[in-house]
Amino acid sequence: VLTIQQEGYYFVYSKIYFVETHNIAHLHSVVRTTLRYPNDLVLLMSREYRSNPASVRTNSYVGGMFHLFKNDTIFVRVNNTRVILTTPAENYFGAYMV
């Protein structure tokens, strides 16, 4: 979870490296929570579905520019963490002010 310390425009990004097995859809999103709205807000989302049951390693990358306010939080959500390959250099998340 990242907490925004200063209001402004931020480029937010996330990359997940995962293995697809069976016929399962994979959802990868970056979510924002804010005191300005009662529910989580999905900022970025990627979906992937392959009908081939063979094991496939693939990447999901999302990124975009957003106006964020002080004390907003952003975090990554995936629908199935068991398929994430635990390679630190291949899985990352961040934001920088522009």
Side-chain angles (χ1 to χ4, degrees):
V1 174
L2 294 177
T3 301
I4 301 303
Q5 300 298 310
Q6 180 180 349
E7 179 182 348
Y9 287 93
Y10 289 81
F11 185 78
V12 179
Y13 58 92
S14 174
K15 180 179 167 289
I16 301 292
Y17 181 46
F18 58 93
V19 62
E20 293 183 358
T21 58
H22 311 313
N23 296 335
I24 299 173
H26 298 289
L27 300 171
H28 166 210
S29 58
V30 175
V31 179
R32 172 186 177 188
T33 61
T34 180
L35 297 174
R36 299 169 179 277
Y37 190 72
N39 300 320
D40 292 349
L41 300 166
V42 176
L43 299 179
L44 302 162
M45 181 184 292
S46 173
R47 293 176 203 249
E48 187 152 350
Y49 179 81
R50 292 183 195 230
S51 59
N52 183 353
S55 178
V56 176
R57 293 175 187 229
T58 188
N59 292 297
S60 173
Y61 177 85
V62 293
M65 185 87 62
F66 300 94
H67 183 247
L68 301 174
F69 295 91
K70 183 176 177 155
N71 295 321
D72 285 358
T73 62
I74 53 176
F75 61 93
V76 174
R77 180 183 289 158
V78 295
N79 68 325
N80 187 351
T81 57
R82 292 177 300 181
V83 298
I84 296 173
L85 296 171
T86 57
T87 308
E90 294 277 3
N91 299 295
Y92 50 84
F93 159 64
Y96 58 87
M97 189 177 214
V98 292

